[in-house]
Amino acid sequence: LSDERESTENDEVFNWGKNDFSPIKNKANINEKSSRKSKIYITENYLLNEKETRRPKIQPGNRSYASATKYGKKVMVIGDSHIRRIRRDKFNNSIENAKSYVKGFEGAKVEHMKYHIIPMLKEQQPDIVILHIGSNNISFKNLKINPLEIATSIVEIAQQCCSYNVNEIIISSITVKKSIRLTSIIREVNDALESLCLSRKFHFIRNDDITPDHLTDGVHLNEYGTGILASNFVDYINNYVFDNSY
């Protein structure tokens, strides 16, 4: 996301009260299985270890690609900085019969992602793509933005993926911000996105379990918000994509 920290001095702020969904309510049992399989790895277990070395790219000709093919489908998660802290190893352990590649572009808007995604589609050759983009298009600098235009631009990127033989495309809803005005726009974009996905037979994830309690500065996800987002991705892949499509 953009380095800009959005001010809420002249804007109302959501008062959500105590969050009922608390991924750290019982931290000692955080790795116990629940009815939703991906909760095994929620919160900090999904976060990128800052000391962790960079892993090689999964592409034809190297061992990582061969390993991904051996384990089943290849999942590519691409988006803004909300997804940059997701740990790929824990994410992989949660997905059934698949390996993943996670890439976040800090500050990238939808129009930028149209260019970022093409070389990645060529290199990774994924079977499944998850798109989590659009948040950087919604800011106090651009309050007159048309929600349908943003939603349409995101769906256009999903259509780009189709031309690279991606089998399943999942669009993740834009997560909330602390500002009421911005979140109102976000909800309009998400409603338009869901409608467009339905008409074009793309998958759609609503991240309604992420609230302002899961933000660090009114914009960016904290570690628990990141864990919930990653969990939503895994749940959808395991329970809807694989169960119904493969």
Side-chain angles (χ1 to χ4, degrees), residues 136-163:
N136 290 312
N137 290 78
I138 303 171
S139 70
F140 286 110
K141 293 181 178 180
N142 198 16
L143 290 175
K144 295 182 180 180
I145 191 80
N146 185 325
L148 182 58
E149 288 182 3
I150 299 177
T152 301
S153 296
I154 294 173
V155 169
E156 286 175 355
I157 295 178
Q159 291 171 327
Q160 272 186 304
C161 296
C162 293
S163 64

Side-chain angles (χ1 to χ4, degrees), residues 1-54:
L1 291 173
S2 171
D3 290 333
E4 173 190 359
R5 299 296 184 265
E6 300 185 29
S7 172
T8 57
E9 285 184 8
N10 300 317
D11 188 39
E12 295 181 78
V13 174
F14 278 116
N15 182 14
W16 290 75
K18 186 176 180 181
N19 179 27
D20 292 330
F21 183 89
S22 177
I24 60 167
K25 189 176 291 184
N26 189 359
K27 197 167 184 178
N29 297 324
I30 208 161
N31 287 328
E32 289 185 2
K33 289 186 177 181
S34 69
S35 59
R36 301 179 73 189
K37 295 180 181 179
S38 65
K39 292 298 185 291
I40 298 171
Y41 296 100
I42 203 167
T43 66
E44 74 273 7
N45 286 327
Y46 268 129
L47 302 181
L48 179 65
N49 184 340
E50 293 180 358
K51 296 181 180 179
E52 190 176 32
T53 57
R54 294 183 62 186

Side-chain angles (χ1 to χ4, degrees), residues 72-106:
K73 303 295 180 180
K74 298 186 293 297
V75 179
M76 185 175 81
V77 184
I78 184 170
D80 50 38
S81 59
H82 279 317
I83 68 170
R84 290 184 65 189
R85 299 177 68 198
I86 295 175
R87 288 191 60 175
R88 196 180 73 189
D89 55 345
K90 298 300 183 183
F91 194 75
N92 283 336
N93 288 339
S94 304
I95 300 174
E96 300 170 357
N97 303 316
K99 286 293 181 180
S100 68
Y101 176 85
V102 181
K103 180 68 174 179
F105 294 89
E106 186 173 357

